[in-house]
Amino acid sequence: MSQNIFSNLNKYNQSQRLAHIRYDIRGPIFDKATELEAAGHKIIRLNIGNPAPFGFDAPQTVVDAMANNLRRSQGYSHHLGIMSARQAVVEYAKKQCIEGVTTDHVFIGNGVSELILMTMQAIIDAGDEILVPSPDYPLWTAAVGLSGGTAVHYLCDEQADWYPDIADMKSKITPKTKGIVIINPNNPTGAVYPSEIVRSIVELAAEHKLIVFSDEIYDKVLYDDNVHYPTATFDNKVLVLTYGGISKNCMAAGFRGGWLIVSGPVSEAKRILEGLNLLASLRLCANVPTQQAIAVALSDDSQIKSLTSSTGRLSIQRDLIYDMITQIPGVSCIKPKGALYLFPKIDLSRFSFDDDEEFAFDLLSKQHVLIVAGKGFNYLYKDHFRIVFLPNETLLSDAGVRIGAYLDGRRV
Ligand code: PLP
């Protein structure tokens, strides 16, 4: 029998497109934690912003809207989403003073994650560059890479409350740059950008005719008196894609509900809207039971307001872990103004480990606390880590004590 000339090729190789794609929030250290749990150890998981396992419930009205409409949710919906959900997002946009949004410019998705992947696929050509923050929420860098583009990271400056360094951003614009990603409020730093910063980014986008991708999934997770300024309100001549959802504002991450608002010069962006329509059609529709809950979710933000008020559970937990972490000699942190995370810095010269990854791995092995190294957020420096402050006070204090004890043991 003649030998098949292709028999030496390994057909079971994964796509080379995945070679540089990372998602360390569920990466090798996460796998190690799962292994330790299987061996009977109790792990304090501070790695993922998933509210439900820590005892946060979605508002009852949201759950009811879904449950009471299950029978009406058995078929595929319109590819952009059911009308009541899209109308509610249009109303939400109006309330935020985003001009000219119609139900044709709103796309409902299975979480913001799907919409990020969909928009990058619809817009990026091979060789296109997208400016992405460093540190970032790593799906952004991954989505650009998966779509054949290049993520060019601009620095968010810890010395300046983690605000984007506009000069650095500007210096990285080339003829290949197609858009800028902003995450505001920010994961992982907890920064909430003042209006001057958002305005400067929008001005830069206007000057170079760039698209702004504005991830605003934490727009209601704000502490103290911090205010969120929606990017799309600054200049209606700039094409802005705004992403929002119910995973964090409504503590309903498992429902997988999100939306995309396209605003600005939409008539010039007709081809992009057509591309988004095509991709939305290809995936048929977002899950319909969740879509039934979006209007209700958007009509009432009392739960998240109460959780983030000075006496609310999220504020109390933020303050607790911030105080504990910043009392550890050799560790510093900018206090988060929004979102669900702390992104502390470790002074590596004072400890006997080499970098954030060694720290994260060893902390897990020795103290059974799972955090994510800064490298997992495409941060350029190797001396940060992210903590999720969703666990209750008892669990968070335990984690803080263990992190302190671990670092005490590694002091030089
Ligand atoms: N964008 C940011 C900044 C996030 O932190 C997350 C999840 O943690 C997402 C998007 C994904 O959200 P969703 O649950 O809507 O897919």
Side-chain angles (χ1 to χ4, degrees):
M1 207 163 93
S2 67
Q3 190 170 356
N4 181 340
I5 56 164
F6 299 117
S7 62
N8 287 338
L9 295 177
N10 185 354
K11 303 283 168 63
Y12 292 170
N13 263 347
Q14 62 172 218
S15 161
Q16 288 174 15
R17 276 197 310 276
L18 301 188
H20 302 291
I21 306 294
R22 299 173 65 110
Y23 192 69
D24 287 357
I25 295 167
R26 284 182 165 158
I29 302 182
F30 171 86
D31 294 341
K32 173 81 181 163
T34 308
E35 239 175 63
L36 286 167
E37 267 171 351
H41 298 289
K42 196 171 163 355
I43 305 297
I44 304 181
R45 288 180 175 265
L46 307 180
N47 64 312
I48 192 163
N50 187 15
F54 298 108
F56 290 93
D57 281 331
Q60 190 59 40
T61 49
V62 169
V63 176
D64 288 346
M66 188 186 292
N68 295 339
N69 284 293
L70 273 180
R71 275 281 170 225
R72 271 188 285 271
S73 308
Q74 297 175 112
Y76 295 132
S77 71
H78 188 284
H79 61 285
L80 298 189
I82 62 173
M83 199 39 105
S84 67
R86 284 190 283 144
Q87 267 162 352
V89 176
V90 167
E91 285 310 309
Y92 187 64
K94 257 193 211 147
K95 235 196 226 146
Q96 290 186 312
C97 301
I98 303 176
E99 289 173 12
V101 180
T102 75
T103 50
D104 292 339
H105 308 141
V106 172
F107 295 74
I108 308 293
N110 295 303
V112 165
S113 303
E114 181 187 49
L115 295 164
I116 291 174
L117 287 161
M118 215 165 89
T119 42
M120 293 296 106
Q121 278 181 338
I123 291 173
I124 293 177
D125 276 319
D128 285 346
E129 293 174 1
I130 304 289
L131 295 177
V132 177
S134 170
D136 75 340
Y137 176 64
L139 174 59
W140 279 106
T141 296
V144 173
L146 283 170
S147 307
T150 304
V152 176
H153 291 106
Y154 66 83
L155 204 61
C156 293
D157 182 3
E158 188 167 21
Q159 305 304 317
D161 274 357
W162 286 118
Y163 299 150
D165 180 334
I166 305 293
D168 186 56
M169 191 183 266
K170 198 171 179 169
S171 75
K172 287 175 176 159
I173 295 175
T174 74
K176 292 181 182 168
T177 310
K178 200 155 187 182
I180 306 174
V181 175
I182 312 179
I183 304 171
N184 178 35
N186 192 273
N187 175 8
T189 64
V192 177
Y193 301 158
S195 67
E196 313 85 77
I197 291 283
V198 185
R199 186 181 301 285
S200 303
I201 298 170
V202 172
E203 280 172 5
L204 213 53
E207 190 186 333
H208 296 272
K209 204 145 174 72
L210 304 176
I211 303 167
V212 182
F213 304 96
S214 193
D215 184 338
E216 302 182 12
I217 192 167
Y218 298 97
D219 66 347
K220 294 207 177 297
V221 190
L222 301 166
Y223 306 102
D224 312 320
D225 291 322
N226 288 292
V227 177
H228 169 253
Y229 296 96
T231 306
T233 56
F234 283 80
D235 180 350
N236 61 13
K237 288 189 265 328
V238 172
L239 188 69
V240 180
L241 273 58
T242 304
Y243 303 76
I246 62 171
S247 291
K248 320 291 175 170
N249 286 352
C250 273
M251 303 280 152
F255 290 176
R256 312 305 302 121
W259 54 85
L260 163 72
I261 302 167
V262 183
S263 64
V266 282
S267 51
E268 282 176 56
K270 209 166 141 260
R271 293 291 292 152
I272 287 180
L273 282 163
E274 284 168 5
L276 286 170
N277 267 275
L278 174 65
L279 292 183
S281 302
L282 282 170
R283 59 88 218 233
L284 298 171
C285 64
N287 68 76
V288 183
T290 295
Q291 295 193 53
Q292 307 283 7
I294 286 179
V296 173
L298 282 173
S299 70
D300 181 8
D301 58 8
S302 53
Q303 176 179 275
I304 190 67
K305 273 206 169 122
S306 146
L307 286 168
T308 52
S309 72
S310 60
T311 53
R313 184 177 158 188
L314 283 173
S315 284
I316 289 171
Q317 288 171 192
R318 173 198 65 157
D319 292 349
L320 173 100
I321 193 69
Y322 171 80
D323 289 345
M324 288 187 84
I325 289 293
T326 50
Q327 274 164 27
I328 301 172
V331 181
S332 57
C333 187
I334 302 293
K335 194 167 189 176
K337 298 180 170 73
L340 308 170
Y341 316 96
L342 233 58
F343 197 58
K345 176 179 176 161
I346 310 174
D347 179 351
L348 291 176
S349 69
R350 298 172 67 171
F351 299 98
S352 61
F353 46 82
D354 286 339
D355 60 21
D356 53 351
E357 285 194 304
E358 188 186 339
F359 164 66
F361 207 83
D362 208 36
L363 174 70
L364 173 65
S365 307
K366 305 260 167 55
Q367 291 287 348
H368 298 162
V369 177
L370 175 63
I371 48 96
V372 183
K375 190 171 176 201
F377 303 94
N378 298 297
Y379 193 44
L380 304 174
Y381 305 107
K382 297 175 175 181
D383 54 1
H384 282 71
F385 64 103
R386 190 190 77 168
I387 300 179
V388 171
F389 53 78
L390 286 167
N392 64 30
E393 290 175 74
T394 312
L395 208 54
L396 265 185
S397 314
D398 189 4
V401 168
R402 289 177 195 222
I403 293 170
Y406 173 79
L407 287 170
D408 276 345
R410 297 296 304 263
R411 241 170 253 295
V412 290

